Every structure is written in structure tokens, then in C-alpha cells.
């Protein structure tokens, strides 16, 4: 058997759910529903109740009448149960005028109302009376003949929408609003229990304007978006929650609108407007093969979850599953879920508090939680780990799933013992100067806990960390994935700086009993002290050597079995080197300094030597650089201190290159943010991509385009600049 959907819950006094309802389908048989109790051993089907498993598949389930009635929504009828699943009422769905029996495709609960979406594009509104029985709310004749794609109920207790029906008087005025999506793509809002006239109308909803108003004017060139579902619910965390209007299109896209009130000119009154929230997301399969408009009715509906690890969220099931999450400091963001999810619901048990249960493509029910201590304000899962120290460098050790981090902190500086200065030992001041004290820490990726630490000498700080595949034996040519670390010993302005090169191996050890993540330690393989600070490291060549920028030189070193680093080749750089990169396995090296700019060199193994090919024509302060291969072309991407990215190329046949002595500048981009690193992403495609980071915390990618793709994107960019609203009214070409 394969489970088709999982819906519905019932909570006890401890806010834990007692039951779960699932609809299953066996091959060759009709769908059935079953109620399972949540026990310590798993799910156990509940017997000896009035619940009929053979009644059919359950589309939705919810509670009304202050939680005393459980409403089961079937395709052609409703069933009402008490808290012990004793049958209280069966409400068949039939059209009294035509005698037809339409099917239900969706439901929305807001005590004491229940809204049903039907396959004949009409709606049915029900209400529970004082005894808990369901009664249909009589519709106005003008509403009975209209068709609606979808509908949603929202209990506006806080009065955010501030919509009241002018036809209601007395104590019958409620707070429940009914949002309807018309077949033409318009929005109508009713204030229940009145269905005589809408209190708000916006016909241009399907055109997805940036600002939705009742007076929205449709342009001829604008295209309609095929909308299939509407949902109004609260989004936010424990600090703040607010209602949002969420739409879902036939291409599985989600559109989010935020309500706000705008003052009417010349009056003190306000009118309701909606602001469109940007949701950058690309669905996996936006247009399935053989798609038909009739398939819109069978699309799995969005699901609102009230408390998912503190978040009020909305889940979009399907081939591109995603959560819509909002924190107090960010707009709503979409966080994707891996795989295919057919159905999802909120779940809270003693073993999985404030979690959820979902049905994957294999028909298995998975209990899960949103990761604790993570933030979702960027659309990515991010976690902040407080180290209490400044971080200078970090790199990932893939075989052990650990991160090596170089940190430092301020410590008191005391004068050392010196025979020529005996008075230093009698220093009695309590107000001591501060000096940097560095250390190397090992962080476990799964738990984000520090599992090992290697202290450095006084005034020694980490400058760079690089994971490399180095040769550890001259005889067997064995290689291992090791961590090379470059440091600087800064002793003041009157003494020259020194540096050290450390080579560590992350080894497996017996973990502590109460900390299973402590199964790895740092083991020192080699340590070499050099003249000048070691500012950059890179793997070079095919023999497992490393390239180090030390002082005013770049030197190639090989690891010996006695723990020393033997130099085999060098090149004078004449100033401080900030970047050293090699195009893996080719021997082509890219260096950058803080004065002269970019250097392009080659490394040869027989005999060992470094040879300069060309330099940048203009002086620049290089902060980050890397290679960008594109087919048979090779570009050099350099970022300077003015937040400008330069694209250079080595072409000795070009007359302006002076037979290759100068690198040709092709173009430049102003990024607007301070660049920090560039990383060439691994890919089997001939078109490579660079990952860029900045000091503001932003990430970006850079890749080469074909002329046809560039013309298409340029035309699209010009069109978007003329149609989209500009942030703060700034010119997008200048900012």
C-alpha cells in the first residue's frame, strides 16, 4: 500500500498531539482513511470508534466549536466527531438547485466557519451552531452564480485589515474574513457572516502588480499569471506575527503580498493596499509534461502550520517543496526541502516537539523538526557559532567533515626575561598593553562544537589556511589531505616580522563518552619557521608540493619525511603578497600584491623553477583573485580595494601586450561591496563559475556568457529596469 496524504491532529493538555489521520491507497482498491494513535513504539491504528475507514480519502481535517468537534472533509461529504471520535453528524454536499453532487477540492477552517472549495468552481460556507452541528450559510443570489478558483478564511482578531461590512449591525459583526480568488483572477473579501456584498475588491490580482490596489489599471502588455490557490495566514516567529496573502500559480510559484493601509488624499481615512514581497525561487519542474488546466484542481494545496519550532509557517508540497518562513528582522523567505513531498502537517510529540510529519515519494511518513539554533532570514539555513574570538581564516577538511579555524584574542603583554635588561623583571604596572594571541581550532560541522585546539606563540596570528592533497613520503609517493597554515609573528615596528608554516593532519581518535563528536584531533606533521610573514598558500604542480608567499618571495616547498619543508623553487615578488592561486594541475599560478597588482607565472617541475609570464598594466591593491576558465579561454579575475573586479587575459600575440609582458584588461565591474575571497567552483562543464564573498556578508557568482546569452539578458535587464519599481527611487544603472 502507498500512503497518499497525511492530515489532521488532535492535541492534549500538554500541547502534544494524540492522533494522526492518514489516507492510504492499495493497488486495485478504493482509497481509505485511518486514525493512528501516537505511542512510544510508533503509530498504532485506533479501533472501536465510529470512524469509518471505508468512507474514502480524507482531503482535510480540522476542529471547530472551540476544539470540541473534529471535522473530517471527504470528497462528497463532511463528518463531525467528538473528542473520542464518536460520530456526531454527517453533512452531505449536494446542489439543491440541480441535484448534482460536486466534489470538494479544498477546505479552510476559522472557528466557527468552514469554507469548502468545489470542483465546479463554486464555494460552500458552513457554520457550527451552539450545539456543534454544521449548518450551511445562505448565500446571496448574486453570489450563487459566480465562480471562484479558491478561497481562504482568516480570523482578523487584531484588526489588521480593518474591513467591516456596512450591512451588518448589532452584535452579529464578526472578525472572520473570507478571501476569494475569482476565475478571472480577481480578489474579493467578505466580512462574515454577511455574504450580500464584498467589502473589498481588486480585479488586477492575477497581473501580480508590485502594489495591489482596488484602482489598479491593467496595461495591454501585461500578462496574467494562472493562479490556482489563495491562502491568508499569519507568518512570523515568537516575537512578531502578521497576516500575509499567499498565492500559488499553476507553475508551482508562490507569490506573497503584505497588507498595509495607505491614507486617502485630503481625508483622515485609509484604504487597504497590498505590497508584493520578492521571493527569489526557481521551481524544479514548473511546467510538467502534458500539463492541462484541469490539473490545477488536483494540485496539493498549501498547508499553514501554526507552531513549527516557534515559527508560523506555510508549506508548499509537490516536486519543489518549500517552507515560507519569516523572522522579526526579515521579510518572508522560502526555504527549500529536498526530495518530493506529497503532504505535510504540523506534529508535536514528546520525542518531536513542535515538529512536522511529511510523506515522501516512497510513501513513508517522516517525523522531522526545523533545525534548532538556525536562522532563515536569508532563505538559507544559517547558524551563528559564538567563538568569543576574532576569526582570521577558515577552511573545510572534507574527509572528516570538520572546519579548521584560525582565531586570535587580546592578551596582556609582559616583558620577557633578558640578561641585558634585568630591570624588566621588576615591572609592577597593572595597566599592561594588549597583544594578539592566536590559536587554531577544529570545529565539527554536524554539531558546530569546538573539538580540538592548538595554541600558537605570543604575538603569532594566523594569516591563511588551505586544505591540500600533499605528498607525505618521498619513497612511496603517498599522499594525504592535509591542512597547511601560514602565520605571522609580529613583534613590533622595530623588529622584522617572522612567520611559520604548519602542516596538520586531522586524525581519528577515541571520542569522549559524553561527546561523540570529539572523534578527531589535530596532529602536527611539519613546522617550518621562515623570514617574513606567510600570507598566502596554495597547492601547486602534480607532485603534491605547496606554494607559499613568505615575506617578499613566493616559494615552492615539498614535505619531507622528517617533518621539514624543503624549498625547490622561488620567485621574488618585491612586496607584500596577498593572493596566491594555481589552476589545479596545470602549474599556472596567479599572484597578487598590495602595490603593483597581478602577476601571472608558470611552475615547471623539470627542472624546478617559477617563471614570470606577465603583469597587470596598472597598479592596484589586490585583495582577491582567481582563474576563470571558459572553454578554450582562460581569464584572470582580480578584485581590488576600490570594490572593482577586473577581468584580465594573457595573450602574447596581441600587440598591446608587448609579447605577453602585460596582461590585457578586458572589462571591469564595480561591485559596491568590499571583496574578500574568490573560489573557483568544481564543475564538469567547460563553463566554470567563481564564488565571490564580500565584507558585508553577501555571496555572488561570476561566470562568462556567450554573445547570444549576453544580448538576451541585456534586453531582459533593460525591460526590468523600466517595469519594476526602483528601491528608494535610485537609478538602477548608477546604483
Amino acid at each position: 500500500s502507498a500512503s497518499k496524504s497525511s492530515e489532521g491532529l488532535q492535541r492534549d493538555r500538554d500541547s502534544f498531539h494524540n492522533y494522526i489521520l492518514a489516507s492510504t491507497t492499495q493497488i486495485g482498491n478504493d482509497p481509505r482513511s485511518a486514525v493512528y494513535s501516537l505511542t512510544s513504539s510508533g503509530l498504532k491504528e485506533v479501533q472501536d470508534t465510529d470512524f469509518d475507514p471505508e468512507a474514502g480519502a480524507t482531503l482535510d481535517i480540522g476542529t471547530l466549536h472551540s476544539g470540541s468537534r473534529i471535522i473530517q472533509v471527504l470528497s462528497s461529504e463532511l463528518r463531525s466527531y467528538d473528542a473520542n471520535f464518536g460520530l456526531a453528524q454527517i453533512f452531505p454536499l449536494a446542489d439543491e438547485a440541480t441535484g448534482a453532487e460536486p466534489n470538494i477540492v479544498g477546505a479552510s477552517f476559522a472557528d466557527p466557519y468552514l469554507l469548502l472549495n468545489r470542483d465546479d468552481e463554486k464555494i460552500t460556507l458552513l457554520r457550527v451552531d451552539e450545539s456543534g452541528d454544521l449548518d450551511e450559510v445562505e448565500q446571496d443570489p448574486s453570489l450563487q452564480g459566480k465562480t471562484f478558483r479558491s478561497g481562504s478564511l482568516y480570523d482578523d482578531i487584531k484588526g489588521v485589515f480593518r474591513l467591516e461590512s456596512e450591512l451588518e449591525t448589532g452584535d452579529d459583526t464578526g472578525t472572520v474574513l473570507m478571501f476569494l480568488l475569482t476565475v478571472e483572477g480577481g480578489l474579493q473579501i467578505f466580512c462574515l457572516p454577511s455574504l450580500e456584498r464584498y467589502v473589498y475588491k481588486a480585479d488586477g490580482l492575477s497581473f501580480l502588480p508590485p502594489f495591489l490596489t482596488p484602482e489598479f489599471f491593467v496595461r495591454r502588455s501585461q500578462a496574467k499569471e494562472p493562479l490556482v490557490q489563495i491562502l491568508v495566514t499569519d507568518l512570523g516567529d515568537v516575537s512578531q506575527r502578521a497576516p500575509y496573502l499567499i498565492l500559488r500559480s499553476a507553475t508551482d510559484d508562490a507569490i506573497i503580498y503584505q497588507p498595509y493601509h495607505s491614507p486617502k488624499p485630503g481625508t483622515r481615512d485609509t484604504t487597504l493596499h497590498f505590497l508584493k514581497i520578492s521571493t527569489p525561487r526557481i521551481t524544479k519542474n514548473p511546467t510538467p509534461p502534458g500539463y492541462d488546466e484541469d490539473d490545477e484542481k488536483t494540485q496539493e494545496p498549501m498547508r499553514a502550520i501554526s507552531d513549527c519550532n516557534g515559527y508560523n509557517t506555510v508549506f508548499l508540497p509537490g516536486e519543489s517543496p518549500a517552507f515560507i518562513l519569516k523572522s522579526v528582522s526579515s521579510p518572508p523567505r522560502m526555504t527549500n526541502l529536498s526530495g518530493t513531498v506529497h503532504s505535510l502537517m504540523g506534529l508535536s510529540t514528546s520525542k518531536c516537539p513542535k515538529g512536522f510529519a511529511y510523506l515522501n515519494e516512497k510513501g513513508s511518513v517522516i517525523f522531522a523538526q526545523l533545525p534548532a539554533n538556525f536562522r532563515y532570514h536569508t532563505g538559507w539555513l544559517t547558524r551563528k557559532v559564538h567563538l568569543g574570538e576574532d576569526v582570521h581564516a577558515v577552511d573545510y577538511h572534507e574527509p572528516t567533515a570538520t572546519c579548521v579555524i584560525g582565531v586570535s584574542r587580546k592578551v596582556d603583554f609582559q616583558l620577557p626575561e633578558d640578561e641585558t635588561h634585568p630591570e624588566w623583571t621588576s615591572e609592577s604596572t597593572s595597566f599592561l598593553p594588549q597583544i594578539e594571541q592566536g590559536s587554531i581550532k577544529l570545529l565539527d560541522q554536524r554539531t558546530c562544537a569546538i573539538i580540538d585546539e592548538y595554541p600558537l606563540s605570543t604575538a603569532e596570528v594566523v594569516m591563511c589556511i588551505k586544505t591540500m592533497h600533499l605528498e607525505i613520503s618521498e619513497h612511496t609517493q603517498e599522499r594525504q589531505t592535509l591542512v597547511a597554515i601560514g602565520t605571522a609573528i609580529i613583534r613590533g615596528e622595530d623588529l622584522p616580522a617572522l612567520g611559520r608554516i604548519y602542516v596538520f593532519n586531522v586524525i581519528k581518535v577515541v571520542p569522549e563518552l559524553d561527546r561523540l563528536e570529539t572523534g578527531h584531533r589535530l596532529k602536527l606533521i611539519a613546522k617550518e619557521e621562515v623570514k617574513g610573514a606567510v600570507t598566502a598558500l596554495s597547492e601547486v604542480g602534480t607532485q603534491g608540493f605547496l606554494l607559499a608567499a613568505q615575506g617578499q618571495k613566493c616559494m615552492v616547498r615539498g614535505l619531507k619525511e622528517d617533518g621539514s619543508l624543503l624549498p625547490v623553487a622561488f620567485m621574488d615578488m618585491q612586496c607584500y603578497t596577498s593572493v596566491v592561486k594555481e589552476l589545479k594541475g596545470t602549474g599556472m599560478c596567479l599572484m597578487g600584491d598590495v602595490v603593483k597588482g597581478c602577476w601571472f607565472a608558470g611552475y615547471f617541475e623539470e627542472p624546478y623553477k617559477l617563471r614570470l609570464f606577465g603583469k597587470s598594466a596598472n597598479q592596484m591593491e589586490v585583495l582577491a583573485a582567481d582563474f576563470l576558465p571558459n572553454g578554450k579561454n582562460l581569464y584572470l579575475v582580480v578584485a581590488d580595494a576600490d570594490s572593482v573586479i577586473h577581468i584580465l587575459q594573457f595573450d602574447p600575440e596581441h600587440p598591446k601586450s608587448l609579447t605577453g609582458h602585460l596582461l590585457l584588461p578586458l572589462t571591469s565591474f564595480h561591485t559596491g561591496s568590499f571583496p574578500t575571497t574568490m573560489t573557483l567552483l568544481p564543475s564538469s562543464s567547460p563553463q566554470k563559475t567563481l564564488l565571490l564573498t564580500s565584507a558585508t556578508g553577501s555571496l555572488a557568482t561570476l561566470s562568462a556568457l556567450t554573445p547570444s546569452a549576453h544580448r538576451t539578458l541585456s534586453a531582459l535587464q533593460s525591460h526590468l529596469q523600466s517595469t519594476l519599481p526602483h528601491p528608494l527611487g535610485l537609478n538602477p544603472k548608477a546604483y
Side-chain angles (χ1 to χ4, degrees):
S1 65
S3 183
K4 301 297 292 183
S5 63
S6 301
E7 322 284 350
L9 296 169
Q10 180 184 355
R11 294 176 181 261
D12 57 14
R13 297 178 181 178
D14 298 328
S15 296
F16 291 145
H17 292 108
N18 294 329
Y19 303 103
I20 181 172
L21 189 146
S23 297
T24 59
T25 301
Q26 292 182 350
I27 299 176
N29 297 328
D30 295 332
R32 64 189 302 272
S33 302
V35 177
Y36 299 90
S37 62
L38 296 168
T39 63
S40 57
S41 58
L43 299 178
K44 182 180 180 181
E45 186 172 356
V46 177
Q47 305 290 341
D48 300 330
T49 64
D50 293 339
F51 186 85
D52 185 11
E54 306 300 331
T58 301
L59 301 179
D60 204 343
I61 194 167
T63 59
L64 294 175
H65 201 247
S66 302
S68 62
R69 285 290 186 267
I70 303 174
I71 309 299
Q72 180 190 10
V73 181
L74 302 172
S75 60
S76 59
E77 66 180 17
L78 306 177
R79 297 198 174 198
S80 177
Y81 301 92
D82 57 18
N84 297 320
F85 284 96
L87 184 61
Q89 183 186 7
I90 298 179
F91 190 93
L93 187 65
D95 194 335
E96 297 180 357
T98 62
E101 295 183 358
N103 292 327
I104 303 173
V105 296
S108 179
F109 292 84
D111 204 3
Y113 297 99
L114 170 59
L115 176 64
L116 302 178
N117 301 316
R118 300 171 7 185
D119 60 352
D120 58 355
E121 297 180 341
K122 294 184 180 180
I123 61 169
T124 299
L125 183 65
L126 305 175
R127 182 176 183 175
V128 293
D129 55 18
E130 296 181 355
S131 62
D133 293 334
L134 291 170
D135 294 325
E136 185 174 355
V137 178
E138 184 178 355
Q139 299 183 15
D140 189 80
S142 60
L143 187 63
Q144 293 179 357
K146 295 183 178 180
T147 56
F148 300 95
R149 184 77 68 188
S150 177
S152 177
L153 300 179
Y154 177 75
D155 194 356
D156 191 16
I157 300 178
K158 299 181 181 179
V160 176
F161 293 94
R162 287 183 283 186
L163 295 175
E164 295 181 358
S165 176
E166 300 177 355
L167 303 176
E168 294 182 16
T169 57
D171 299 333
D172 197 26
T173 302
T175 59
V176 178
L177 300 177
M178 181 173 63
F179 295 77
L180 298 179
L181 174 64
T182 64
V183 175
E184 296 79 12
L187 172 66
Q188 295 183 8
I189 305 178
F190 292 81
C191 184
L192 300 182
S194 175
L195 296 178
E196 297 183 18
R197 180 175 174 80
Y198 52 79
V199 295
Y200 185 86
K201 181 180 181 181
D203 294 330
L205 179 62
S206 60
F207 295 95
L208 306 182
F211 299 94
L212 179 63
T213 64
E215 300 83 13
F216 174 72
F217 177 75
V218 180
R219 299 180 182 178
R220 289 185 178 181
S221 60
Q222 285 184 291
K224 276 188 174 184
E225 183 75 16
L227 303 177
V228 296
Q229 187 184 1
I230 184 173
L231 177 64
V232 181
T233 186
D234 287 336
L235 294 177
D237 52 16
V238 293
S239 301
Q240 182 187 29
R241 292 170 181 172
Y244 285 85
L245 173 66
I246 305 173
L247 305 168
R248 194 177 187 184
S249 67
T251 55
D252 210 17
D253 290 325
I255 304 96
I256 305 175
Y257 278 94
Q258 179 182 5
Y260 71 97
H261 283 267
S262 177
K264 293 182 179 179
T267 65
R268 294 184 179 181
D269 298 333
T270 60
T271 181
L272 178 63
H273 291 179
F274 290 88
L275 171 65
K276 186 179 178 182
I277 306 297
S278 175
T279 54
R281 174 177 177 260
I282 300 177
T283 57
K284 297 178 183 178
N285 191 12
T287 307
Y291 170 76
D292 188 18
E293 290 184 358
D294 295 335
D295 296 338
E296 299 174 1
K297 303 174 184 178
T298 60
Q299 191 180 41
E300 191 71 26
M302 297 183 290
R303 181 72 57 188
I305 304 176
S306 60
D307 188 1
C308 188
N309 203 9
Y311 286 90
N312 272 30
T313 178
V314 170
F315 180 76
L316 279 72
E319 296 184 358
S320 303
F323 281 101
I324 302 178
L325 297 165
K326 181 191 179 302
S327 65
V328 67
S329 60
S330 70
R333 298 295 187 186
M334 301 192 68
T335 302
N336 294 327
L337 202 66
S338 61
T340 299
V341 178
H342 297 291
S343 182
L344 184 142
M345 64 177 183
L347 178 72
S348 182
T349 64
S350 58
K351 295 183 178 180
C352 184
K354 298 182 179 180
F356 56 91
Y358 68 92
L359 190 68
N360 60 13
E361 62 273 12
K362 297 180 180 179
S364 302
V365 179
I366 310 297
F367 292 3
Q369 287 178 303
L370 289 179
N373 303 323
F374 276 78
R375 299 190 297 176
Y376 309 89
H377 63 285
T378 61
W380 290 21
L381 272 72
T382 58
R383 180 179 179 180
K384 258 189 177 180
V385 181
H386 182 69
L387 299 178
E389 297 174 302
D390 295 332
V391 178
H392 297 277
V394 62
D395 205 0
Y396 180 67
H397 190 262
E398 185 176 0
T400 59
T402 56
C403 293
V404 184
I405 307 174
V407 300
S408 69
R409 64 182 185 276
K410 295 286 187 178
V411 296
D412 294 335
F413 174 74
Q414 293 183 345
L415 294 172
E417 296 182 2
D418 195 335
E419 295 179 356
T420 60
H421 297 280
E423 68 277 7
W424 286 2
T425 59
S426 60
E427 185 181 22
S428 59
T429 178
S430 59
F431 187 67
L432 297 174
Q434 299 286 307
I435 194 171
E436 293 280 352
Q437 171 70 52
S439 63
I440 303 167
K441 295 188 176 184
L442 187 64
L443 182 138
D444 181 68
Q445 179 198 9
R446 301 176 184 86
T447 60
C448 295
I450 301 298
I451 58 178
D452 195 18
E453 183 175 2
Y454 183 88
L456 300 178
S457 303
T458 304
E460 183 178 11
V461 295
V462 175
M463 301 295 292
C464 54
I465 299 177
K466 186 69 175 177
T467 302
M468 306 179 187
H469 200 57
L470 300 180
E471 183 182 279
I472 61 173
S473 175
E474 299 176 276
H475 304 291
T476 63
Q477 282 79 41
E478 182 185 355
R479 296 191 183 187
Q480 286 186 358
T481 303
L482 305 177
V483 181
I485 300 174
T487 66
I489 304 176
I490 306 171
R491 300 178 294 174
E493 298 179 358
D494 55 338
L495 295 175
L498 299 177
R500 291 195 180 105
I501 302 176
Y502 296 87
V503 179
F504 288 93
N505 188 14
V506 182
I507 62 174
K508 292 184 178 180
V509 296
V510 179
E512 301 175 8
L513 293 178
D514 55 343
R515 298 183 62 193
L516 298 179
E517 68 273 10
T518 59
H520 296 95
R521 286 288 185 270
L522 289 171
K523 179 183 179 181
L524 183 62
I525 302 297
K527 177 181 177 182
E528 190 80 14
E529 185 168 331
V530 298
K531 294 181 179 179
V534 181
T535 55
L537 293 168
S538 175
E539 187 177 352
V540 67
T542 61
Q543 297 180 350
F545 291 174
L546 66 87
L547 176 62
Q550 52 185 73
Q552 298 181 3
K553 290 183 175 63
C554 281
M555 191 169 293
V556 179
R557 293 176 176 270
L559 181 62
K560 298 182 66 177
E561 293 182 350
D562 59 357
S564 61
L565 294 170
L566 179 66
V568 297
F570 75 96
M571 186 173 69
D572 286 322
M573 299 295 295
Q574 304 172 4
C575 58
Y576 175 88
T577 305
S578 56
V579 179
V580 168
K581 292 289 181 70
E582 188 230 12
L583 188 60
K584 189 174 181 63
T586 63
M588 290 184 288
C589 301
L590 176 61
M591 295 91 158
D593 58 50
V594 296
V595 177
K596 296 188 176 182
C598 178
W599 303 51
F600 180 51
Y603 167 68
F604 301 88
E605 295 178 344
E606 293 182 3
Y608 296 117
K609 64 177 180 178
L610 280 170
R611 177 185 171 186
L612 178 64
F613 292 152
K615 298 181 181 179
S616 57
N618 301 321
Q619 293 184 353
M620 65 181 76
E621 184 179 348
V622 179
L623 298 181
D626 209 335
F627 292 99
L628 181 58
N630 181 44
K632 296 182 179 181
N633 298 321
L634 179 63
Y635 303 107
L636 285 69
V637 184
V638 182
D640 62 12
D642 296 327
S643 302
V644 177
I645 295 178
H646 303 270
I647 310 297
L648 308 176
Q649 189 177 29
F650 176 71
D651 188 1
E653 298 180 357
H654 198 282
K656 291 186 178 181
S657 67
L658 302 180
T659 65
H661 288 83
L662 296 180
L663 299 174
L664 296 177
L666 300 182
T667 186
S668 61
F669 306 91
H670 183 73
T671 62
S673 57
F674 201 68
T676 53
T677 63
M678 289 186 183
T679 305
L680 181 63
L681 299 179
S683 173
S684 58
S685 172
Q687 184 177 4
K688 306 296 182 180
T689 302
L690 277 179
L691 177 65
L692 286 68
T693 63
S694 68
T696 59
S698 62
L699 299 175
T701 57
L702 179 67
S703 60
L705 293 176
T706 61
S708 59
H710 181 267
R711 288 191 297 268
T712 303
L713 293 177
S714 296
L716 177 60
Q717 181 178 350
S718 301
H719 174 71
L720 294 178
Q721 288 174 354
S722 61
T723 55
L724 295 180
H726 303 160
L728 301 178
L730 298 176
N731 187 343
K733 294 184 179 181
Y735 298 91

